[in-house]
Amino acid sequence: CIDGNNNVNTNDFLITFSVGSLNIPGDINADGQVNLQDILVIVSDFGKTSGFNPAVDVAPPLNMINIFDVMVVVRNWGS
């Protein structure tokens, strides 16, 4: 707040912010957790080189769903 003498009282400030979404590596379904649900999404596209959910392709080599994509989930399990 600014008083009548244009002095700023820093004790009166409350700063708030929100984060739209946190990008958690391995959180394929974007529910804020890395768990079995993310593995199930990858399994449904495993081995595909086209026609897959782009959110599943989280690790190089890109444009194919493979064990490297699964490992991103495993490494971040429980996050």
Side-chain angles (χ1 to χ4, degrees), residues 6-74:
N6 289 329
N7 296 317
V8 177
N9 182 350
T10 58
N11 293 328
D12 291 340
F13 282 95
L14 174 63
I15 299 172
T16 61
F17 65 93
S18 63
V19 177
S21 65
L22 297 175
N23 185 11
I24 302 171
D27 182 17
I28 306 302
N29 64 356
D31 67 352
Q33 304 174 57
V34 181
N35 56 27
L36 180 61
Q37 299 303 314
D38 302 297
I39 289 288
L40 294 176
V41 175
I42 289 180
V43 167
S44 68
D45 283 341
F46 193 84
K48 291 184 181 179
T49 56
S50 65
F52 55 80
N53 175 349
V56 174
D57 196 10
V58 294
L62 299 178
N63 300 315
M64 63 186 315
I65 309 309
N66 56 30
I67 192 64
F68 300 111
D69 299 301
V70 173
M71 291 309 299
V72 171
V73 175
V74 170

